[in-house]
């Protein structure tokens, strides 16, 4: 009986006690004995049998006997014991063990695969080798057994003698091809496992012999198809470990085989398939050989062979299946070449494109001439559209009748479509898409193939064209478009994601959102050149073809066509004006599709529509309808509203939550179409439709069994309906009772925890759009404002932010602000004051904005001692940006209200010099300027304080106050430049600087008085010059805020700055002013920095001035001969990518080569210096490489779709072996690339694994300092973190095989870095 309790102190005697039971007549006893043996071997110590050769040999004999047992369960259990026994057995006995297993003859069992299976189990269990890692002694012993026994047993002869003479010849090899039986596929599996486990340790002679035997198996006509497929896979695995010479020999032999006159069709197919598998396995090493190998793969797709094929068809002859198999294999291999060796395939672009287009139309059942005529008819835009639809209908019916179950030509067409898809995925951005080749050659053929009779091919074609359309929209900075002045279409921007989604076009590929603004948008017509212009020229044909597909019965086809059309609409921002009537009917039919699943023979397709169900089709149709509503004018859509609304309201009522939620989003877009400002006129019929939508949306909000996500969408839609129906002229779009009902619903939902945030956002929309006092009742405004303020006490940060934003809009709208009563304002102030503290910086700015509005409305209810204390606590903290502006705005409002004296006293007495003089001075100066005499302090009091101040801090504070007050008072300020210049000569380090800043701010308020004085004195050398530069900087910075005109002084400012920029101390300050072009390197560096700072300006007028000049400026900067200037230029490009992406995006191919060049290690910049007795290498190019990688990282966020993905991956992977900081940044970039381009990431796993293995294997010196240890540990932790994500992506890739290199790497880190890997996985789960 099997033991039920496992212990840890098993000995060899426990194993010996089981041996007699293996020969028992009862199969149950034999089975249970094997179970006990397996448990003992697994639970026992490593030394269990390490010194007991006799017992080990007896166990092996018993297992061999059990493997030949008549009982299948006994055999299976014996197999389970092989691996544990191999690990516990003495290493000296491994060779006999392997020999006995491979020579096992099964006389009782009918299963002839037992010897190979048992041996494979043993090989898999033994310690395996990892490339790049020193093998352990156990691994070396295991490989010794493999090399001495298993490889000779597989081949039938000794490859390496191992110094042993007189050995008998091994028996016939397990991989020999037997007459009538072929080769043993189990032996091929065994070889595959052997290579997988010990490939890195195989010697060249062994690899050469194994390659030769595999080639012989492929060439042998007796080898079956299954065995040939396994051989191709095994050869690809073996290729991972080819030396350079062996790979070169393999390529030469392959070329000779292709050129052999005796090459059969089957051998040709196998050679082509083999090249595809090896390209997948070792793309980096095989790539350089493609210039020799690719022509042999392209040959079956050549025009000559195609014409020969067509000639045979014309003569009525049947095409041999082997010929079609070659075409299919060539296309599959080309797909691998394009996917994994895209750069090496560039010279063959035309041949690949022409071959794939040639065979995507290959159909023996249809004559080529007939195809050409059909194509001409499809592209003739002058043909009557009704006749066109009738013609296409007939073609589809005829093609359906031609379908033949024995015809396999559809495989060729599908593979050709996949080649085009891969070419679009890898060569579109900045390449074939920009030069128009894809739209000129590929798009017309793909459109023609819409009438493909085979569903799987048709779906692949639609998926390919959809990929082309989406790539056209990627990287395009979309703008709002409209065909009429009153129309409104939201901006949509193509997603940066390039993840291959063959199943369906993902809704997240485009972000379509609409604004509630009331100003008409600017019209941006389709460009006259470029990819979008090319798409527009093909638009008519695409729409005609898609309309036909929408009328098909197949759900997968309809879903694929629907998503393709949606992508077209989003990329073109419309484009359906003339054909909308043809599209609305089938779209609404799809939305009303009944049932749950309809398919073609129950097939789930991987192209076009992954899972075609009625609900997925309805969702796709709803997404298309939303895209149409968001991108077309109201004038275009309104005629079809009577068709849209009934089906849409029915979809909102749908019980399936995904359909209902999507329908509500569409209803929101429809509401925007039929309401102002998009709708130029409002009639009663549109009002009726709005009320129908209103009724179903309110019902969804109120119904208790509504899904939570659906209810949230309905609440948001309800807010849009209320907001858009406000102030619609003479026609009331929503009755008073319905409006009141909706507002009550929102108020009720605001109190519900699950719908609180969405209700806040809906109320925010309502408040922003309110322009009439009659639209919102004062009681509702007061109740909602208090409820919003109460949410500020919640712990949910998102809720607090949204609530405060809504409250800010409520107080910022005069209509809603005046509805607040004094008691209500008191309550709001009480709830807001806890936020006015330095610990709530994220909410502080908005809270002070709300208090500013309330102060202007009712100052006596707001300004009190508590507020003064809170502001004094805030002013002593570092404030900047919008928070400082909000703070000064509140101070200004308090001063203007005439209640500023308590605050002034508190700032002067309680704060004074305890805070930053610049911030405190700005606050007091603002209060002084706005409060005038009401604050109890005058400007001359501050002048007296400056004159009599006992210390520098008080002088700095007084100067800051005077500067801010003069800025705000402008020309009415009584101060003059001399009042500030007098303090430039102070011996203090702080006072002159404070005086310079104050002078500049005062000058910004009164440029006509101050600026001439500043410019006249800037030529004086010494500290005066440096301080005046600070003053000029302040004038330039604050002149826009004070609306001062400095245009008359710009020439003088430039001349002065250029003159003083040669001084090193002045350069950093002069660089912050805008000037360009100078032969001196120092001035060029100043100008480059000036451009960088100028790029942060968000003025649209400035953008238009910069647009024609920026690219040339950046190109000049990036080509600067000075290394430091090029580094500054990269930082400037980084700034442009973050602030002016729309300006550089069209010219990115011109700029990127500079960045890629600077990211490479330049050996010329590496020098050796002597540090005592040691030589130390200094890399002068390190900083510029860091800047280059930082720029690439920034461009990934804003312009990834316009970057060449293979080139980017090459630089990122190269950076993994660079400096620590660059390596860490590349890891971060790689993490982003996983999401942006999962396909290319998957293809690069082998290269990444090699770099990561080197990082993890790095051993520090014994005398390494603490910083080096910490950096190494940080690098390893980061590598493991990214490895986890990469492995998850690899496992999630559909229909993809993970490479052997990555598998080995993953197994290695799982074994050698198990604790760290588990910690990284736990952290990743926690962060998710």
């Amino acid at each position: 009986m099997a033991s039920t309790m496992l212990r840890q102190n098993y000995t060899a005697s426990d194993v010996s006690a089981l041996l007699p039971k293996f020969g028992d007549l009862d199969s149950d006893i034999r089975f249970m004995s094997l179970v006990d043996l397996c448990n003992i071997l697994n639970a026992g110590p490593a030394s269990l049998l390490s010194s007991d050769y006799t017992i080990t040999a007896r166990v092996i004999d018993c297992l061999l006997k059990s493997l030949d047992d008549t009982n299948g369960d006994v055999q299976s259990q014996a197999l389970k014991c092989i691996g544990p026994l191999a690990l516990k057995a003495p290493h000296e006995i491994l060779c006999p063990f392997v020999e006995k297993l491979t020579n096992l003859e099964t006389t009782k069992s009918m299963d002839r695969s037992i010897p190979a299976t048992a041996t494979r189990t043993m090989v898999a269990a033994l310690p395996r080798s990892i490339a790049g890692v020193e093998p352990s002694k156990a691994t070396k012993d295991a490989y010794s057994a493999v090399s001495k026994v298993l490889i000779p047993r597989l081949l039938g002869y000794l490859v390496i003698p191992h110094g042993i003479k007189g050995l008998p010849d091994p028996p016939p090899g397990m991989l020999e091809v037997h007459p009538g039986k072929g080769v043993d596929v189990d032996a091929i599996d065994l070889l595959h496992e052997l290579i997988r486990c010990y490939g890195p340790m195989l010697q060249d002679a062994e690899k050469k012999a194994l390659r030769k035997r595999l080639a012989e198996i492929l060439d042998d006509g007796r080898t079956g198809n299954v065995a040939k497929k396994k051989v191709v896979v095994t050869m690809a695995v073996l290729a991972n470990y080819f030396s350079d010479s062996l790979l070169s020999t393999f390529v030469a032999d392959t070329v000779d085989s292709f050129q052999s006159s005796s090459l059969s069709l089957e051998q040709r197919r196998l050679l082509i398939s083999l090249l595809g598998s090896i390209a997948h396995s070792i793309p980096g090493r095989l790539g350089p050989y493609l210039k020799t190998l690719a022509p042999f793969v392209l040959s079956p797709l050549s025009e000559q062979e195609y014409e020969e094929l067509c000639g045979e068809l014309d003569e009525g002859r049947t095409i041999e299946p082997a010929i079609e198999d070659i075409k299919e294999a060539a296309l599959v291999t080309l797909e691998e070449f394009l996917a994994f060796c895209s750069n090496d395939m560039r010279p063959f672009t035309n041949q690949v494109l022409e071959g794939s287009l040639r065979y995507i139309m290959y159909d023996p059942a249809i004559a080529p001439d007939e195809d050409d005529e059909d194509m001409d008819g499809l592209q003739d835009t002058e043909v009557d559209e009704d006749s066109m639809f009738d013609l296409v209908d007939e073609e589809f019916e005829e093609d359906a009748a031609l379908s033949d179950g024995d015809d396999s030509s559809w495989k060729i067409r599908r593979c050709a479509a996949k080649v085009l898809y891969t070419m679009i995925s890898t060569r579109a951005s900045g390449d074939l898409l920009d030069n128009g080749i894809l739209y000129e050659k590929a798009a017309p053929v793909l459109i023609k193939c819409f009438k493909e009779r085979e569903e799987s091919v048709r779906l692949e074609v639609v998926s390919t064209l959809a990929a082309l359309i989406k790539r056209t929209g990627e990287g395009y900075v979309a703008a709002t478009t409209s065909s009429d002045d009153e129309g409104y279409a939201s901006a949509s921007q193509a997603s940066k994601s390039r993840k291959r989604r063959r199943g369906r076009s993902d809704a997240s590929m485009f972000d379509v959102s609409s604004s509630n603004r009331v100003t008409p948008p600017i019209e941006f017509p389709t460009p006259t050149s470029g990819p979008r212009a090319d798409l527009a020229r093909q638009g008519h044909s695409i729409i005609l073809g898609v309309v036909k597909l929408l009328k098909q019965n197949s759900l997968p086809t309809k879903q694929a066509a629907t998503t393709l059309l949606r992508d077209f609409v989003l990329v073109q921002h419309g484009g359906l004006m003339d054909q909308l009537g043809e599209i609305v009917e089938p779209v609404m039919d799809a939305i009303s599709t009944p049932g749950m699943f309809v398919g073609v023979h129950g097939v789930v397709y991987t192209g076009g529509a992954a899972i075609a169900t009625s609900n997925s089709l309805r969702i796709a149709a709803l997404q298309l309808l939303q895209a149409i509503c968001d991108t077309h004018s109201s004038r275009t859509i309104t005629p079809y509203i009577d068709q849209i609304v009934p089906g849409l309201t029915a979809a909102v009522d749908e019980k399936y939550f995904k359909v209902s939620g999507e329908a509500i989003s569409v209803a929101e877009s429809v509401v925007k179409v039929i309401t102002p400002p998009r709708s130029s006129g409002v009639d009663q019929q549109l009002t009726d439709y709005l009320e129908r939508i209103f009724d179903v949306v309110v019902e969804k909000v109120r119904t208790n069994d509504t899904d939570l996500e659906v209810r949230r969408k309905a609440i948001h839609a309800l807010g849009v309906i209320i907001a858009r129906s406000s102030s619609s002229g003479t026609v009331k779009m929503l009755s008073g009772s319905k409006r009141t009902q909706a507002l009550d619903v929102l108020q009720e939902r605001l109190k519900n925890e699950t719908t609180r945030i969405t209700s806040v956002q809906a109320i925010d929309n309502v408040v922003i759009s309110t322009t009439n006092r009659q639209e919102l009742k004062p009681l509702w405004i007061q109740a909602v404002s208090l409820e919003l303020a109460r949410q500020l006490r919640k712990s949910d940060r998102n809720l607090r932010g949204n609530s405060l934003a809504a409250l800010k809009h409520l107080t910022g709208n005069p209509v809603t602000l005046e509805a607040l009563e004094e008691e209500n304002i008191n309550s709001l102030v009480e709830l807001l004051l806890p936020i006015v503290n330095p610990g709530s910086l994220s909410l502080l700015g908005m809270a002070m904005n709300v208090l500013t509005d309330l102060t202007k409305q009712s100052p006596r209810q707001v300004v009190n001692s508590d507020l003064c204390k809170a502001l004094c606590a805030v002013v002593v903290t570092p404030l900047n940006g919008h928070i400082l502006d909000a703070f000064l705005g509140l101070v200004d409002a308090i001063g203007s209200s005439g209640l500023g004296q308590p605050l002034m006293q508190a700032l002067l007495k309680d704060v004074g010099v305890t805070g930053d003089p610049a911030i405190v001075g700005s606050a007091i100066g603002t209060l002084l300027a706005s409060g005038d005499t009401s604050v109890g302090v005058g400007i001359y009091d501050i002048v007296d304080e400056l004159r009599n101040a006992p210390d520098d801090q008080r002088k700095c504070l007084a100067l800051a106050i005077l500067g801010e007050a003069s800025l705000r008072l402008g020309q009415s300020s009584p101060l003059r430049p001399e009042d500030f210049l007098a303090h430039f000569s102070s011996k203090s380090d702080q006072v002159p600087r404070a005086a310079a800043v104050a002078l500049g701010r005062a000058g910004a308020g009164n440029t006509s008085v101050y600026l001439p004085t500043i410019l006249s004195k800037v030529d004086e050398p010494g500290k005066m010059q440096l301080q005046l530069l600070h003053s000029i900087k302040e004038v330039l910075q604050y002149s826009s805020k004070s609306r001062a005109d400095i245009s008359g002084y710009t020439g003088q400012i430039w001349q002065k700055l250029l003159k003083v920029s040669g001084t090193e101390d002045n350069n950093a300050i002069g660089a912050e002013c805008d000037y360009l072009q100078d032969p001196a390197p120092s001035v060029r560096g100043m100008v480059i920095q000036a451009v960088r700072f100028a790029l942060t300006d968000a003025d649209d007028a400035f953008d238009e001035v910069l647009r024609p000049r920026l690219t040339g400026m950046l190109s000049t900067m990036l080509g600067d001969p000075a290394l430091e200037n090029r580094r500054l230029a990269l930082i400037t490009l980084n700034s442009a990518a973050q602030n002016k992406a729309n300006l550089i995006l069209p010219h990115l191919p011109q700029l990127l080569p500079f960045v890629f060049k600077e990211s490479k290690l330049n050996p010329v910049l590496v020098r050796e210096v002597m540090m005592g007795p040691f030589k130390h290498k200094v890399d002068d190019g390190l900083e510029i490489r860091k800047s280059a990688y930082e720029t690439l990282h920034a461009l990934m966020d804003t312009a990834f779709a316009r970057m060449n993905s293979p080139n980017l991956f090459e630089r990122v992977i190269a950076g993994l072996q660079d400096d620590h900081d660059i390596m860490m940044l590349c890891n971060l970039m790689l993490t982003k690339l996983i999401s942006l381009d999962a396909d290319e990431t998957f293809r690069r796993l082998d290269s990444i694994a090699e770099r990561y293995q080197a990082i993890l294997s790095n051993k520090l010196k014994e005398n390494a300092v603490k910083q080096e240890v910490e950096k190494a540990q940080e690098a390893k932790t980061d590598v493991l973190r990214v490895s986890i994500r990469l492995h998850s992506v690899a496992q999630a890739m559909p229909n993809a095989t993970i490479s052997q290199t990555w598998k080995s790497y993953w197994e290695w880190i799982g074994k050698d870095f198990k604790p760290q890997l588990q910690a990284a996985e736990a952290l990743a789960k926690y962060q998710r």
Side-chain angles (χ1 to χ4, degrees), residues 79 261 286 320 504 527 567 719 781 815 899 933 1051 1112 1128 1133 1162 1164:
L79 283 173
S261 57
L286 187 68
E320 292 185 48
R504 62 183 181 277
D567 294 339
I781 296 174
V815 175
L899 303 175
T933 59
L1128 295 174
L1133 178 57
N1162 187 354
V1164 178

Side-chain angles (χ1 to χ4, degrees), residues 476-712:
Y476 162 62
V477 181
T480 56
T481 61
S482 175
S483 59
D484 54 13
D485 292 340
E486 300 82 9
Y488 173 75
S490 67
S492 66
Q493 182 171 355
S495 168
K496 306 177 186 69
S497 173
R498 291 180 64 237
K499 286 183 74 174
R500 179 174 181 176
R501 301 180 184 276
R502 292 199 135 167
R504 62 183 181 277
S505 181
D506 190 1
S508 64
M509 289 298 295
F510 298 88
D511 178 18
V512 181
S513 59
S514 296
S515 168
N516 285 318
R517 61 182 183 178
V518 295
T519 56
I522 301 173
E523 181 176 350
F524 289 86
T526 301
T528 56
S529 61
R532 291 184 64 237
D534 297 334
L535 175 58
R537 284 188 281 271
Q538 297 289 342
H540 182 72
S541 299
I542 292 173
I543 295 170
L544 287 179
V546 169
V547 167
K548 172 56 201 152
L549 295 178
L550 291 175
K551 296 180 179 180
Q552 293 298 297
N553 294 326
S554 167
L555 282 185
T557 296
K558 293 172 73 174
Q559 181 173 322
T562 301
T563 52
L564 181 147
L565 188 58
R566 187 201 62 190
D567 294 339
F568 174 84
V569 170
L570 291 171
V571 170
Q572 293 299 90
H573 283 268
L576 301 183
M577 284 75 72
D578 299 330
Q579 293 88 9
L580 195 56
E582 295 288 344
I583 293 170
V584 169
E585 182 179 353
V587 169
M588 296 313 300
D589 288 343
I591 292 174
S592 305
T593 301
M596 288 303 296
F597 180 84
V598 179
V600 180
H601 308 302
V603 177
V604 176
Y605 293 105
T606 59
I611 300 176
T613 67
S614 60
N615 285 329
S616 64
L617 174 60
R618 296 173 76 183
I619 292 172
L622 286 166
Q623 291 171 349
L624 170 58
L625 184 58
Q626 184 175 15
I628 292 172
C629 291
D630 288 340
T631 56
H632 290 76
S633 68
S634 176
R635 185 180 303 169
T636 302
I637 301 173
T638 301
Y640 308 102
I641 289 295
D642 58 337
Q643 297 176 253
I644 294 174
V645 172
L648 183 59
T649 53
V652 172
D653 267 337
E654 172 66 40
K655 292 189 179 296
Y656 183 49
F657 71 98
K658 289 186 178 180
V659 173
S660 179
E662 199 70 46
I664 291 173
S665 299
V666 181
E668 188 176 314
S669 296
V670 171
V671 168
K672 295 173 184 178
V673 170
I674 63 178
T675 56
R678 286 186 62 182
S679 179
S680 57
V682 179
D683 55 29
Q684 188 58 45
Q685 188 177 16
L686 293 181
T687 300
D688 294 339
Y689 288 134
L690 180 64
E691 291 193 350
R692 291 180 63 177
I693 295 174
F694 173 85
D695 291 338
V696 295
V697 170
V698 168
E699 185 63 23
K700 279 293 177 182
V701 177
R702 285 185 160 183
T703 305
N704 292 328
D705 60 351
T706 302
D707 178 78
L708 178 59
E709 189 61 32
V710 174
R711 178 178 281 115
R712 287 174 176 169

Side-chain angles (χ1 to χ4, degrees), residues 976-1209:
R976 290 296 176 262
E978 292 74 15
D979 295 327
F980 299 99
L981 289 170
H983 298 278
F984 276 38
S985 58
S986 173
K987 296 180 180 180
S988 168
D989 293 334
Q990 301 175 358
V991 173
R993 174 69 179 271
V997 172
L999 176 63
R1001 294 195 182 182
N1006 192 0
T1007 55
S1008 61
V1009 173
Y1010 281 78
L1011 202 51
T1013 303
I1014 295 174
L1015 293 176
S1016 66
K1017 294 181 177 297
V1018 78
D1019 291 331
E1020 298 180 12
K1023 291 185 178 180
M1024 171 72 77
Q1025 188 180 75
L1026 178 62
Q1027 302 304 340
L1028 287 174
L1029 284 177
H1030 283 291
S1031 299
I1032 294 175
K1033 173 189 170 184
E1034 293 295 317
V1035 171
L1036 296 177
Q1037 183 174 348
Y1038 284 91
S1039 59
S1040 59
K1041 294 183 179 180
S1042 63
R1043 298 184 179 180
D1045 184 11
I1046 61 170
S1047 58
Y1049 301 97
T1050 53
Q1052 297 180 52
I1053 293 174
W1054 287 342
Q1055 292 174 6
K1056 301 291 184 182
L1057 290 176
L1058 185 61
K1059 183 177 180 180
V1060 302
S1061 64
T1063 304
E1064 185 176 352
D1065 291 338
N1066 299 336
N1067 186 272
I1069 302 169
E1072 298 184 34
C1073 308
D1074 189 11
Y1075 187 84
L1076 189 61
Q1077 297 297 339
D1078 193 278
S1082 61
V1083 176
R1084 292 201 306 272
M1086 177 194 74
V1087 173
I1088 292 171
Q1089 293 188 74
V1091 174
R1092 171 164 65 97
F1093 286 106
L1095 290 174
T1096 58
D1097 193 332
D1099 188 4
D1100 292 338
F1102 177 67
D1103 287 358
E1104 293 306 314
V1105 174
L1106 199 60
R1107 189 182 302 275
R1109 300 175 176 85
L1110 182 58
T1111 303
M1113 293 162 58
L1114 289 172
S1115 298
T1116 303
M1117 297 172 189
L1118 291 167
D1120 196 288
L1123 179 66
E1124 178 62 16
N1125 285 351
R1126 293 203 305 275
R1127 186 186 71 82
L1128 295 174
L1130 287 170
I1131 298 175
T1132 304
L1133 178 57
N1134 190 333
S1135 178
Q1138 298 180 51
N1139 299 290
K1140 307 289 181 185
N1142 59 321
L1143 301 185
I1144 67 169
L1145 202 57
H1147 310 285
L1148 204 56
Q1150 181 181 344
L1151 301 172
L1152 268 178
F1154 292 103
V1155 187
F1156 285 136
K1157 178 183 177 182
E1158 299 298 348
S1159 68
K1160 297 177 181 178
L1161 177 66
N1162 187 354
V1164 178
L1165 298 176
V1166 180
R1167 53 191 173 88
E1168 284 189 350
V1169 295
M1170 296 298 297
M1171 298 183 66
F1174 305 104
K1175 290 184 178 180
H1176 179 67
K1177 286 187 177 181
V1178 176
D1179 186 357
D1180 294 328
L1182 177 59
E1183 293 303 319
I1184 195 172
R1185 287 206 309 281
K1186 288 182 181 179
S1187 298
Y1189 276 103
E1190 289 168 356
T1191 304
L1192 290 175
H1193 182 243
L1195 288 170
M1196 283 173 56
D1197 292 332
T1198 57
F1200 176 76
R1202 310 307 298 167
M1203 302 174 73
N1204 184 281
S1205 189
N1207 290 344
L1208 177 61
F1209 269 91

Side-chain angles (χ1 to χ4, degrees), residues 727-937:
S727 300
S728 301
T730 57
V731 180
K732 247 187 172 181
M733 295 206 70
L734 206 60
S735 65
S737 60
K738 289 184 179 294
R739 188 176 186 82
T740 301
Q741 176 190 3
L743 292 172
D744 291 341
V745 168
L746 291 181
Q747 184 178 350
E748 175 189 351
R749 282 288 141 192
L750 181 59
K751 300 175 183 178
N752 187 288
E753 185 176 358
T754 60
T755 57
R756 193 169 280 152
I757 293 181
T758 312
S759 301
V760 169
Q761 294 168 347
I763 290 172
D764 195 8
N765 280 337
V766 173
V767 169
I768 291 173
S769 303
T770 300
T771 58
N772 192 323
R773 293 180 176 85
Q774 307 302 321
E775 293 174 0
L776 299 178
K777 296 179 179 179
L779 290 177
W780 185 88
I781 296 174
Q782 295 166 16
V784 165
S785 64
L786 288 176
E787 192 63 36
L788 290 172
R790 291 189 187 103
Q791 307 310 316
L792 302 178
R793 297 181 175 180
K794 305 293 184 183
S795 59
D796 189 336
R797 186 175 181 179
N798 191 21
L799 174 62
R800 295 169 67 197
N802 279 277
S803 299
L804 192 54
L807 194 58
K808 175 186 173 184
H809 293 145
L810 188 147
T811 57
N813 188 335
V815 175
T816 54
L817 178 61
E818 68 179 17
L820 300 178
E821 298 178 350
E822 293 183 359
E823 182 180 352
N824 195 241
I825 293 176
N826 285 331
S827 300
L828 289 176
V829 172
E830 183 181 349
L831 292 167
L832 285 168
L833 279 179
I835 302 178
V836 185
N837 69 78
S840 304
L841 289 179
S842 60
L843 302 177
L844 180 59
M846 284 193 292
M848 290 190 294
N849 285 330
V850 174
L851 289 171
T852 301
D853 294 331
L854 295 176
T855 301
K856 294 176 181 178
Q857 175 70 12
S858 185
R860 296 193 179 278
Q861 275 65 46
V862 180
V863 181
N864 53 39
S865 59
D866 292 335
L867 178 61
C868 292
K869 290 179 181 178
L871 292 178
C872 289
V874 169
V875 77
V876 297
T877 60
L879 300 178
N880 53 56
H882 73 280
I883 298 179
L884 179 59
D885 292 339
F887 176 80
L888 295 178
L890 178 55
V891 171
D892 182 73
I894 294 173
S896 300
S897 69
L899 303 175
Q901 186 171 358
L903 179 59
M904 176 65 79
Q905 295 300 322
L907 289 173
L908 290 174
K909 293 181 179 180
D910 299 339
V911 179
V913 295
T914 59
D916 184 350
I919 298 175
V920 178
S922 294
I924 298 176
T926 300
L927 193 60
L928 186 67
S930 63
D932 200 10
T933 59
S934 65
V935 296
V937 177

Side-chain angles (χ1 to χ4, degrees), residues 177-183 222:
V177 182
H178 303 283
K181 295 182 181 179
V183 69
R222 296 170 294 179

